[in-house]
Amino acid sequence: MRKKNILAIFPGSFDPITKGHLDVINRGRLIFDELIVAIGSSSEKKNLFTLKQRKEMVQELVADMPRVRVDSFEGLMVEYAAKQKVDVILRGLRSLTDVHYEFRLAMTNRAVANIETVFIMASAEYGFTSSTLIREVATLGGDISKFIPEQIYDRMQKQLHELKEGK
Ligand code: ADP
């Protein structure tokens, strides 16, 4: 029998959250009854923003979206998802490279935790961007303002400035 209230999780590193992520969140929340945007805390060292900062930024952007909440998790995402009694993992697909990786990830997650993964195709205008690329371009002084929300852009400029100053 079909479950009535479908809870989905959109996991990622969100370092920082981009317009591509927001697009997936906005489209995902029309499909599912509830959505948890879950920020992973692993590989903290390579990140531009701390987990706390990433969570604050996502929270600010989804604050007025009903049925969307933000959380963070440590370790295995499916363990967190199982604890939260999540029904579906939501992921975005940008390219064939994503498909290769996501295919194996989805198969593993289903084998390990019996959770289905549902994919949303990236929108044409953001399909080629990633947080990693945005961080790289911004670090080298490129203009990435088109790809991230305005308030995130300001925080990113500040963060990069502080890093440069060695703060
Ligand atoms: P990134 O790959 O940008 O570093 P994350 O690890 O935070 O980001 O990715 C979390 C999820 O968001 C993944 O499913 C990823 O495919 C998806 N995603 C990231 N950027 C985009 C985008 N521009 N359009 C659609 N989905 C995206």
Side-chain angles (χ1 to χ4, degrees):
M1 205 172 69
R2 190 186 173 275
K3 254 200 88 192
K4 281 221 175 88
N5 201 57
I6 308 283
L7 170 62
I9 182 172
F10 181 43
S13 40
F14 304 99
D15 186 34
I17 183 165
T18 67
K19 286 188 180 174
H21 292 131
L22 270 180
D23 179 46
V24 173
I25 294 170
N26 269 315
R27 287 155 65 204
R29 74 193 177 99
L30 300 179
I31 301 172
F32 303 109
D33 300 293
E34 278 181 85
L35 183 64
I36 305 175
V37 182
I39 309 168
S41 69
S42 63
S43 65
E44 188 81 9
K45 273 172 285 166
K46 283 188 287 147
N47 291 321
L48 175 61
F49 292 101
T50 65
L51 181 63
K52 188 168 168 271
Q53 289 172 318
R54 285 181 274 149
K55 201 172 164 188
E56 273 168 17
M57 289 187 280
V58 180
Q59 237 147 12
E60 197 181 319
L61 289 165
V62 307
D64 56 2
M65 295 182 192
R67 300 176 290 104
V68 178
R69 57 190 149 103
V70 185
D71 201 2
S72 55
F73 63 92
E74 270 174 44
L76 211 54
M77 186 272 291
V78 284
E79 260 174 32
Y80 167 80
K83 229 186 257 168
Q84 300 292 318
K85 301 205 177 351
V86 159
D87 303 295
V88 168
I89 299 166
L90 171 65
R91 299 283 290 175
L93 279 184
R94 289 162 290 191
S95 62
L96 274 183
T97 320
D98 271 359
V99 174
H100 285 287
Y101 173 71
E102 293 292 340
F103 181 81
R104 288 189 303 161
L105 191 64
M107 297 289 274
T108 308
N109 287 336
R110 203 170 54 193
V112 170
N114 201 24
I115 299 184
E116 295 291 350
T117 304
V118 168
F119 298 99
I120 283 188
M121 297 290 294
S123 291
E125 60 263 59
Y126 309 123
F128 55 91
T129 62
S130 69
S131 297
T132 310
L133 202 61
I134 286 171
R135 281 199 310 276
E136 276 170 15
V137 174
T139 308
L140 298 171
D143 181 9
I144 40 88
S145 55
K146 270 198 208 86
F147 307 117
I148 51 178
E150 209 177 312
Q151 55 271 60
I152 307 298
Y153 180 81
D154 294 342
R155 286 191 68 153
M156 206 164 170
Q157 296 303 104
K158 190 168 162 261
Q159 187 82 348
L160 287 170
H161 180 74
E162 284 179 7
L163 279 178
K164 217 165 139 192
E165 302 285 299
K167 279 189 203 160

